């Protein structure tokens, strides 16, 4: 189906739209576009700030003690 044929099928549907119906219009689009641009800028800024974070997690004391106990038990000298 060609685009012109699809468009001719949609034109009668547009005539059925109520003229008294409230639509968002240009102002609604501008507000939505401003919100989308703001979210994009915030995500870009967050990505930049997260790249600066230098976080090194401390080892879990319980996990290291369990490894030390397991390693120590196998290498204990017998008398």
């Amino acid at each position: 189906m060609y685009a012109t044929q699809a468009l001719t099928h949609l034109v009668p549907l547009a005539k059925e739209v109520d003229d008294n119906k409230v639509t968002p219009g240009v102002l609604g689009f501008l507000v939505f576009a401003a919100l989308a641009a703001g979210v994009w800028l915030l995500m870009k800024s967050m990505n930049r700030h997260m790249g600066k974070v230098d976080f090194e997690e401390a080892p879990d004391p319980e996990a290291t003690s369990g490894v030390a106990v397991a390693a120590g038990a196998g290498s204990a000298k017998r008398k």
Side-chain angles (χ1 to χ4, degrees), residues 31-43:
V31 169
F32 181 77
L35 287 172
V39 168
W40 181 75
L41 288 171
L42 283 172
M43 290 182 66

Side-chain angles (χ1 to χ4, degrees), residues 2-76:
Y2 293 109
T4 55
Q5 289 175 341
L7 188 60
T8 57
H9 289 292
L10 292 176
V11 170
L13 294 175
K15 302 264 184 191
E16 296 174 10
V17 174
D18 186 12
D19 292 335
N20 296 325
K21 187 175 180 182
V22 178
T23 60
V26 176
L27 180 63
F29 173 74
L30 292 176
V31 169
F32 181 77
L35 287 172
V39 168
W40 181 75
L41 288 171
L42 283 172
M43 290 182 66
K44 187 175 177 182
S45 175
M46 182 190 68
N47 193 19
R48 190 180 316 122
H49 281 84
M50 291 298 287
K52 292 180 184 178
V53 173
D54 185 24
F55 177 72
E56 187 173 326
E57 188 174 347
D60 188 14
E62 293 178 6
T64 56
S65 65
V67 172
V69 169
S75 63

